[in-house]
Amino acid sequence: MNYNVAIIGAGPGGYVAAIRMAQLGLSVILIEENKLGGICLNKGCIPTKALYSATKLIERAEDAQAMGIEFTTPVIDLEKLSSWKEGVISTLVDGTAALLKANGVTVYQTRGRLEGTGRVALSTGKTVDAERIVLATGSSPIEIPGFTFADPHIWSSDDALALREIPRRLLLIGGGVIGLELATIYNRLGSKVTILEMMPEILPGIDLDRRTIATLKRALKAQGITVRVNTAAKSIEETSEGPVVQIGDGDAVAADRILLAVGRRPNSADIGLETVGIEPDRRGFVPVDKKLQTSAPGVYAIGDLVPGPMLAHKGSAEGLNLAASFVGQNYPLDYQTIPQAIFTDPEIASVGLSEARAREEGQDVIVGRFPYAALGKAQGMRETQGFFQVVADAKSKRLLGTQIVGAEASALIAEAALAVQNGLSLETIADSVHAHPTLPEGLKEAAEAALGRAIHAVNR
Ligand SMILES: Cc1cc2nc3c(=O)[nH]c(=O)nc-3n(C[C@H](O)[C@H](O)[C@H](O)COP(=O)(O)OP(=O)(O)OC[C@H]3O[C@@H](n4cnc5c(N)ncnc54)[C@H](O)[C@@H]3O)c2cc1C
């Protein structure tokens, strides 16, 4: 079988690349050993966000009392919740299959492996020949010494999303994005959650200002989630009361389940890299150049398999960029302006530079902030925690970065991302008429504040 392009892996990197390449007239085969949509649709973005929104109702129901509306205590039917979440996933997986079909992509549901230049061996015994091969095999959760997923007390994010039980005490090892999102969900479901993070701060490695992290930490504390930073899980002991995790100096934390969320490693083993001479880096990532080409001519790699933020939309953007370059077109890809959303309570979303990073880089910046509490819409929603922050170049007033912590931050960041990605100025945002009363007014007011002319906050 001969194709222009063979893609291994149908996550948001691979399937998006496949659709766009087919739209551009290339013959494409997409090889996937599991379900279409990859980790994102099946065990990542979608199930977490479905459960995030379902469990938000529990919190809202409790909160409604203060607005004069009382519900009885919510009853959680775990089986029904789980099958609703599975329904969401299968709707999207079926939709992806339909889109691939409609665009003329050939899909093979089997394992694929590079077998020298221009060839993929399938586990069915067949081979596929293609002018170009795209590796989009994604990533898997990491274990740490002494803690393995073979231990029935230890969960990966996959186990947590399977929603088999609500542990009374849940210990999360890892205070990164995935850990915090699952902590939020299980806390709402009623678990007593403790998070251990070995670094001095939660969300390590993400360019967020201290004020943003501090706002989240205050909220986590108020929700009854215990966060212990500078704390590494050393070993696990089984006792008659359940597992106990040693954290050094004779200190230990008892739990009913332990959720290991310490990161993910790229799926670069056993995909035949050696057959074309590609050497993964020391963490297992496949190195690529600016054109996403590996060291082997005609072999490209995208998504979680290559260095960079492990985000679905980053993988998709790489797929779109690659598709365009295959036909001599351009699709912009700027890693500095990829937005990120974190589904904690409150949500955090950011794009571009933090204030601290901009100053570290020696940039002369102006900063504007605006609190949710000053927005009429936020007051009416009883969602007054958090703020909007914009960072701009002092001279040109070009927006360099935005951080939003508060309700719907994940959606609100889109306007800031558009501005940062297109080099727009504070004035462009401030002078654009925003509908009232809405949460996006917070971004406009933060831009006004940076310019010293906020209307609904005192300018200092
Ligand atoms: C719990 C959780 C929550 C997340 N939430 C978000 C979020 O809210 N937003 C966000 O942007 N990102 C989120 N992510 C990250 C996101 O899921 C990943 O960045 C994204 O899925 C990476 O896409 P990908 O295409 O590179 O790989 P994947 O989605 O991992 O897909 C790779 C596919 O390749 C297949 N495959 C692997 N090897 C082979 C082979 N040899 N042959 C055939 N098929 C193969 C796999 O079965 C898989 O389907 C989350 C991740 C997790 C775990």
Side-chain angles (χ1 to χ4, degrees), residues 116 214 337 435 453:
T337 62
R453 54 180 218 205

Side-chain angles (χ1 to χ4, degrees), residues 403-424:
Q403 292 188 11
I404 304 173
V405 50
E408 307 290 342
S410 55
L412 295 166
I413 202 66
E415 181 183 356
L418 184 74
V420 172
Q421 286 160 5
N422 289 284
L424 303 185

Side-chain angles (χ1 to χ4, degrees), residues 1 27 36 50 59 66 113 157 176 182 264 278 301 342 357 368 406 450:
M1 289 173 287
S27 61
L36 295 174
E59 187 200 290
R113 195 175 186 284
S157 57
L182 291 169
R264 298 179 64 82
I278 300 172
I342 305 170
R357 175 67 61 83

Side-chain angles (χ1 to χ4, degrees), residues 8-14 31-35 37-40 43-45 48-49 110-112 136-139 157 161 178 181 264 267 271 302-304 310-313 343:
I8 309 180
I31 301 153
E32 169 58 60
E33 65 176 333
N34 292 309
K35 287 210 226 150
I39 290 298
C40 181
K43 291 173 177 174
C45 327
T48 43
K49 271 80 249 183
T110 176
R111 189 170 173 76
T137 51
S139 63
S157 57
L161 291 169
I178 293 175
E181 291 189 355
R264 298 179 64 82
N267 293 330
I271 55 170
I302 58 174
D304 282 8
M310 285 184 159
L311 291 170
H313 46 282
F343 292 77

Side-chain angles (χ1 to χ4, degrees), residues 64-305:
Q65 264 189 38
M67 298 190 253
I69 300 170
E70 281 201 33
F71 295 92
T72 51
T73 309
V75 177
I76 298 160
D77 181 334
L78 211 52
E79 220 170 278
K80 220 166 162 182
L81 179 58
S82 186
S83 67
W84 170 75
K85 170 209 56 161
E86 288 303 319
V88 172
I89 294 171
S90 55
T91 302
L92 294 172
V93 171
D94 292 350
T96 306
L99 287 171
L100 288 163
K101 191 168 176 215
N103 281 284
V105 175
T106 305
V107 176
Y108 266 39
Q109 217 108 26
T110 176
R111 189 170 173 76
R113 195 175 186 284
L114 276 169
E115 198 181 69
T117 306
R119 176 158 292 185
V120 178
L122 306 179
S123 46
T124 54
K126 290 187 177 153
T127 55
V128 170
D129 291 321
E131 289 148 30
R132 292 173 169 123
I133 295 171
V134 180
L135 304 173
T137 51
S139 63
S140 305
I142 294 178
E143 295 177 333
I144 51 173
F147 297 82
T148 71
F149 298 127
D151 180 335
H153 289 115
I154 300 183
W155 279 354
S156 67
S157 57
D158 297 0
D159 299 312
L161 291 169
L163 222 57
R164 279 182 221 107
E165 61 174 298
I166 304 170
R168 192 168 61 81
R169 297 163 305 173
L170 177 65
L171 176 64
L172 256 135
I173 303 179
V177 176
I178 293 175
L180 289 178
E181 291 189 355
L182 291 169
T184 301
I185 291 168
Y186 272 91
N187 179 61
R188 288 169 172 172
L189 288 172
S191 294
K192 173 77 194 106
V193 177
T194 302
I195 301 170
L196 305 182
E197 170 53 57
M198 65 184 278
M199 301 303 279
E201 200 45 279
I202 53 170
L203 296 170
I206 299 179
D207 183 20
L208 294 172
D209 282 310
R210 289 166 76 131
R211 192 186 289 259
T212 304
I213 303 255
T215 304
L216 175 63
K217 276 173 85 174
R218 268 197 309 277
L220 293 175
K221 194 170 174 198
Q223 289 155 32
I225 297 176
T226 306
V227 177
R228 299 184 66 164
V229 293
N230 286 315
T231 308
K234 300 227 156 65
S235 58
I236 181 169
E237 229 176 79
E238 298 298 335
T239 72
S240 53
E241 310 270 284
V244 173
V245 171
Q246 301 297 329
I247 52 175
D249 290 337
D251 206 354
V253 185
D256 298 299
R257 287 279 177 260
I258 295 152
L259 208 173
L260 198 56
V262 291
R264 298 179 64 82
R265 66 174 163 69
N267 293 330
S268 55
D270 201 25
I271 55 170
L273 295 181
E274 66 290 351
T275 68
V276 289
I278 300 172
E279 279 220 19
D281 70 14
R282 114 193 122 70
R283 288 154 66 212
F285 290 101
V286 171
V288 285
D289 64 16
K290 281 205 166 106
K291 293 185 161 166
L292 299 163
Q293 181 161 239
T294 67
S295 58
V299 182
Y300 301 79
I302 58 174
D304 282 8
L305 184 63

Side-chain angles (χ1 to χ4, degrees), residues 28 219 294 367 446 452:
V28 184
T294 67
V367 177

Side-chain angles (χ1 to χ4, degrees), residues 426-441:
L426 288 175
E427 284 100 337
T428 316
I429 298 170
D431 296 347
S432 139
V433 180
H434 286 58
H436 176 74
T438 60
L439 295 181
E441 287 177 294

